[in-house]
Amino acid sequence: MEELQARVSEQGGLSIKERLLVRFVRSRNIVGKNWRGVLAAQDPFFNTKLGGDYLTSVAQAVSDSSRGNVDRIERVTIALEKVAGIRSVPIV
């Protein structure tokens, strides 16, 4: 997250992908350490191989924002916000 904050100071804003990752991290922190299990229990899609791939992709994108597809990040973020009790808002 420090890297994202440095980028904001440098370039004056975050990309849609980076804003989604900030929202994802906030939600993940609320849900807790077992966020993957909680999400898989709440949404059957994330209890599949493809859903698990989405979760892994987003987790990797947090440490390396060049990774992860923005559509996957959005789907996981919105689902996790729902579980965390956060009202999702449009990103654009």
Side-chain angles (χ1 to χ4, degrees):
M1 284 295 122
E2 289 175 26
E3 178 187 320
L4 292 179
Q5 291 170 348
R7 207 175 135 161
V8 169
S9 335
E10 242 178 64
Q11 300 176 2
L14 295 174
S15 70
I16 291 172
K17 184 182 208 179
E18 291 164 332
R19 284 181 275 160
L20 281 167
L21 287 172
V22 167
R23 286 172 49 182
F24 166 77
V25 169
R26 186 178 321 121
S27 302
R28 182 187 66 184
N29 290 343
I30 290 170
V31 172
K33 195 173 174 180
N34 187 29
W35 66 272
R36 291 176 193 237
V38 170
L39 200 50
Q42 293 289 320
D43 186 331
F45 171 75
F46 295 111
N47 200 23
T48 65
K49 168 77 172 95
L50 181 59
D53 290 347
Y54 272 50
L55 300 178
T56 299
S57 172
V58 175
Q60 290 172 341
V62 170
S63 57
D64 180 1
S65 63
S66 69
R67 299 184 75 146
N69 173 284
V70 73
D71 293 326
R72 285 184 174 205
I73 295 168
E74 179 183 41
R75 179 151 187 199
V76 172
T77 298
I78 290 171
L80 198 56
E81 285 176 337
K82 182 177 179 183
V83 170
I86 297 172
R87 186 171 163 255
S88 295
V89 293
I91 195 69
V92 290

